[in-house]
Amino acid sequence: MSKYIIKYVCICLLFNSYFFFAQEIVGGNPSFPSDPYNVKNIDVANQNIFYEYTYVKNTDEKLKTNSALTILQVGTNYSKYVDFYTLKLDSLREKHSKLNRIEKKEISEQMEYRREIGFKMTIIKNFKNTGFIAQSRIPNNDYEFEIMFPKLQWKLVPEYKTILDYKTQKAIIYYSGRNWIAWFAESIPIHLGPYTFGDLPGLILELYDEDNNHHFIAIGIDQKPHIIYKREEKKTIKTAKKEFFKTEKSFHDRPDLFFDINAVRGVDNFPKIPYNPIELD
């Protein structure tokens, strides 16, 4: 595979609604015991595909989009799809875990990274199993659940275009409430793509739903080795996919139920947060 120098891209990252009250939370001089940081190294990525992810938070304001940088790490036995700032946050949490206590400075640093995370979920695929492990966070808990390999019945379309100097072909599918369009490069024998999409004759370099609520476009590829790891905190809540999305929807509808209002100074109410997930069904 050709090597690409990753272009510096200006990605517009708007303030994350999850943390609209962040400055109030870290007022004063808070001090807490540091959280443990536990991961398991499971593979080494030999291919890294960088995608710009553009998404619509509020379907009532379709012209307002947000962007993030995401990475598909591909190893021998595992792949991992993750937001760039999730990796940065993990590195910061590992550093802070070595402290006896974290205070306002450390809390603010973590919140700065959290608010930049555009793709909330981390997807880990074991090539020998029949599903994905998904990890995500809903304040104030980390969750983990399994996604079984979706049965993707793509329809190949005789249309072609070039992405990153690769010839790609169009494919379409209806999946979980949305019509999706993918452009895959048959010359790259990696049958993966963003999120849990894959099962095409080559790597997906562009993916979007027909309403363009979620749009992934590859902006670079490299072969630098990176550790693929899995978070393994003991406090992680193991749940089912359906229950996770139900809880996530509840958070967006009633964020006030997920926080101790007495601990959040200066916030009179918690407005409903727009919800526009990748999967609608």
Side-chain angles (χ1 to χ4, degrees):
M1 180 184 296
S2 300
K3 293 184 179 181
Y4 281 84
I5 298 175
I6 306 305
K7 296 180 179 179
Y8 288 99
V9 294
C10 179
I11 298 177
C12 178
L13 294 166
L14 299 182
F15 193 87
N16 190 314
S17 296
Y18 283 24
F19 303 99
F20 63 94
F21 51 86
Q23 297 303 318
E24 299 298 336
I25 289 180
V26 296
N29 296 291
S31 178
F32 303 98
S34 60
D35 289 329
Y37 179 83
N38 297 303
V39 302
K40 179 181 180 181
N41 295 337
I42 56 177
D43 208 342
V44 177
N46 47 54
Q47 303 284 355
N48 304 284
I49 301 92
F50 296 79
Y51 295 89
E52 182 180 10
Y53 168 50
T54 304
Y55 57 102
V56 175
K57 284 184 179 180
N58 188 346
T59 54
D60 293 331
E61 299 177 329
K62 292 276 292 183
L63 296 180
K64 293 185 178 180
T65 59
N66 301 265
S67 296
L69 179 64
T70 61
I71 306 171
L72 174 61
Q73 301 175 317
V74 183
T76 303
N77 299 307
Y78 290 85
S79 68
K80 179 175 177 177
Y81 185 73
V82 61
D83 191 284
F84 171 73
Y85 273 95
T86 296
L87 297 178
K88 289 182 71 71
L89 176 62
D90 285 350
S91 178
L92 189 64
R93 290 178 67 180
E94 180 182 22
K95 175 183 175 182
H96 289 170
S97 71
K98 296 178 172 61
L99 302 175
N100 290 327
R101 301 185 70 81
I102 60 171
E103 300 181 349
K104 182 176 181 178
K105 175 178 177 293
E106 290 77 30
I107 296 171
S108 296
E109 288 175 345
Q110 289 193 25
M111 284 184 171
E112 284 296 318
Y113 282 165
R114 284 194 187 280
R115 74 175 61 160
E116 300 290 356
I117 297 172
F119 193 83
K120 310 299 180 186
M121 202 175 294
T122 296
I123 304 293
I124 298 173
K125 179 179 181 180
N126 182 340
F127 299 150
K128 297 180 181 179
N129 290 345
T130 59
F132 300 85
I133 295 296
Q135 296 183 325
S136 191
R137 182 175 178 83
I138 304 172
N140 285 312
N141 293 297
D142 293 312
Y143 291 81
E144 180 179 307
F145 58 96
E146 186 173 353
I147 302 176
M148 299 306 293
F149 288 159
K151 296 179 180 179
L152 300 177
Q153 297 179 344
W154 293 96
K155 178 182 178 181
L156 302 189
V157 179
E159 295 181 24
Y160 305 88
K161 69 177 181 179
T162 299
I163 302 174
L164 292 180
D165 293 337
Y166 290 99
K167 178 182 177 181
T168 66
Q169 182 176 353
K170 184 178 182 180
I172 58 176
I173 194 172
Y174 177 83
Y175 175 70
S176 195
R178 298 186 190 275
N179 290 310
W180 291 92
I181 298 94
W183 295 87
F184 67 93
E186 191 169 359
S187 60
I188 306 176
I190 296 174
H191 308 294
L192 301 170
Y195 189 47
T196 60
F197 288 91
D199 291 340
L200 280 167
L203 177 67
I204 297 174
L205 293 181
E206 186 174 13
L207 174 74
Y208 49 91
D209 67 283
E210 67 176 359
D211 295 320
N212 217 30
N213 285 284
H214 302 272
H215 192 140
F216 307 83
I217 178 71
I219 58 173
I221 301 172
D222 74 28
Q223 297 172 318
K224 296 178 181 178
H226 291 283
I227 296 295
I228 298 177
Y229 62 87
K230 177 179 178 291
R231 296 290 303 275
E232 293 199 333
E233 272 72 21
K234 293 182 180 179
K235 294 182 180 180
T236 297
I237 298 173
K238 303 291 181 67
T239 187
K241 175 184 176 181
K242 182 178 179 180
E243 291 304 312
F244 170 81
F245 282 110
K246 181 179 178 180
T247 303
E248 186 179 62
K249 179 66 165 56
S250 296
F251 168 69
H252 282 253
D253 289 342
R254 289 290 307 275
D256 55 299
L257 300 179
F258 288 74
F259 297 96
D260 179 359
I261 301 298
N262 294 323
V264 184
R265 299 189 302 278
V267 178
D268 297 326
N269 57 67
F270 285 70
K272 183 177 179 178
I273 301 171
Y275 190 52
N276 188 22
I278 286 182
E279 296 193 37
L280 296 179
D281 295 343

